[in-house]
Amino acid sequence: MKKITKRVLAVVLSFVFVLSVVPVIKPAIVANAASIEGGYTTKDEAYNWGPYYNNTNVGTTVQENETDKWYKFTLGAGKRIYLSSSYSNRMEEATFELFRGNTRVDWKNISDELLESSMGTKFVAFNIDNTTSSTQTYYLHFHRPETSTGVFYFNLTMYERIRKGSGTFSFSGTARNSGNPATSSGVNYAGTDSTILSLNLTNNTSIPPNAIVSSIQTKGTQSPSQGNVRHKIMPVSVGIWYESTVSSSSSGHFGISVDDLIPAKQQFMFCYNVLSPASSTMQNISMTINWEYDLADTNYELYI
């Protein structure tokens, strides 16, 4: 899959400030764009950025006689974002510090935190995660050393940091089921599992690093088609078989969510369970994984 570089700001009560010479990938529309020039040089006079919205942008001009700029914004409970800023040489040895209320939660020397995107753009990124159960007020403070002179401009933009993606992957081979014959004690209502197929996605480059599974669906073609069939999937890292929540020979849906913290980049096993006493096979088996990933794990590059 093609990667596209983007910028963003976020607070885990720690930050990874994203500063880029030019926005790596500039959104088609920047919501709530604003531009500030003189002033906003103390915390009490901080520019009121308002509540967080994705793609909210503030352009800043630092005047010749100014060394500080302050910004104030609020972040809702559970939000995980990142903020990006354009970068100029006059920002060397400048610093950013982040406050939650009156408490400083992080500090960065810009020169020490420069990253480089796959497009060659240098930037610094800082993550912001509001892990509390209520909206919090944050202050961002930019300070340049007195040795930095002249008027210069930089851009700050907030973005969502947690992104979603999906991929469909095929199992090789044929799963075979000998059927579920009755026993002397009657019908085996647990059914009989087929042979197992394996699919290793550990090194699959289309899946972002540290992506977490949010849901899985499977498809397959059973011959002959039977009733009372359930697909089963096992993420090897978990070591537990998940049985489809619906009975279908052609598809499976599983009670898996991001809360299960199942890595997408790993080995998966597949089989199917039948109640019919007749033997069958299943081919053309595929698995669609939906996942979530953190841009902080991808050098702030978007997988699409």
Side-chain angles (χ1 to χ4, degrees):
M1 290 188 179
K2 184 178 177 183
K3 295 180 181 177
I4 298 181
T5 305
K6 266 194 160 179
R7 317 122 40 245
V8 190
L9 159 57
V11 174
V12 169
L13 309 171
S14 78
F15 59 30
V16 180
F17 221 22
V18 182
L19 298 132
S20 42
V21 179
V22 177
V24 180
I25 293 295
K26 192 161 187 173
I29 298 176
V30 177
N32 299 320
S35 181
I36 62 175
E37 295 186 7
Y40 311 106
T41 58
T42 68
K43 185 178 181 182
D44 289 341
E45 298 173 340
Y47 171 74
N48 189 355
W49 205 335
Y52 163 76
Y53 291 101
N54 190 41
N55 292 2
T56 304
N57 173 279
V58 175
T60 300
T61 299
V62 180
Q63 301 293 341
E64 174 76 42
N65 62 342
E66 293 179 333
T67 57
D68 298 272
K69 288 292 183 182
W70 284 82
Y71 309 83
K72 174 184 177 181
F73 61 93
T74 58
L75 188 62
K79 294 299 293 183
R80 301 163 67 186
I81 69 171
Y82 85 77
L83 183 140
S84 72
S85 167
S86 59
Y87 175 77
S88 75
N89 290 337
R90 286 195 174 95
M91 297 171 78
E92 289 183 3
E93 301 304 325
T95 60
F96 280 102
E97 55 184 344
L98 184 71
F99 294 82
R100 187 180 67 249
N102 293 320
T103 303
R104 189 171 80 167
V105 294
D106 216 332
W107 175 92
K108 295 288 181 183
N109 183 305
I110 293 171
S111 298
D112 293 339
E113 300 296 331
L114 282 176
L115 304 174
E116 187 169 328
S117 72
S118 60
M119 298 174 64
T121 302
K122 292 183 178 180
F123 65 95
V124 178
F126 97 71
N127 304 324
I128 306 176
D129 293 356
N130 181 5
T131 57
T132 73
S133 59
S134 61
T135 297
Q136 298 292 315
T137 298
Y138 293 89
Y139 292 88
L140 176 67
H141 175 213
F142 170 80
H143 174 78
R144 67 166 172 176
E146 294 180 0
T147 53
S148 172
T149 60
V151 177
F152 66 94
Y153 176 89
F154 63 91
N155 228 21
L156 295 172
T157 308
M158 294 188 196
Y159 289 103
E160 292 289 334
R161 205 176 79 247
I162 307 305
R163 300 304 178 103
K164 298 181 179 182
S166 65
T168 299
F169 311 94
S170 297
F171 288 84
S172 298
T174 301
R176 303 179 185 278
N177 198 308
S178 59
N180 184 48
T183 66
S184 58
S185 58
V187 177
N188 174 21
Y189 290 104
T192 298
D193 289 344
S194 70
T195 57
I196 296 171
L197 301 182
S198 176
L199 176 61
N200 195 342
L201 301 178
T202 303
N203 297 315
N204 191 293
T205 57
S206 67
I207 303 175
N210 301 322
I212 299 298
V213 174
S214 57
S215 66
I216 294 179
Q217 299 86 40
T218 54
K219 291 184 178 181
T221 304
Q222 186 193 26
S223 180
S225 180
Q226 300 172 338
N228 297 312
V229 175
R230 289 183 186 267
H231 291 196
K232 298 174 74 173
I233 202 82
M234 182 175 74
V236 171
S237 69
V238 178
I240 296 174
W241 283 102
Y242 290 86
E243 187 173 87
S244 176
T245 57
V246 297
S247 175
S248 171
S249 63
S250 60
S251 63
H253 302 267
F254 306 88
I256 294 174
S257 72
V258 292
D259 294 335
D260 297 309
L261 299 177
I262 297 173
K265 293 172 77 76
Q266 66 165 299
Q267 186 175 10
F268 290 85
M269 303 293 201
F270 173 89
C271 72
Y272 69 100
N273 181 278
V274 302
L275 292 183
S276 170
S279 62
S280 64
T281 62
M282 187 174 291
Q283 296 178 309
N284 305 318
I285 300 163
S286 65
M287 171 178 62
T288 296
I289 303 176
N290 296 290
W291 58 70
E292 290 186 0
Y293 66 101
D294 191 330
L295 289 176
D297 295 325
T298 66
N299 198 41
Y300 302 93
E301 294 186 343
L302 185 67
Y303 280 62
I304 60 171

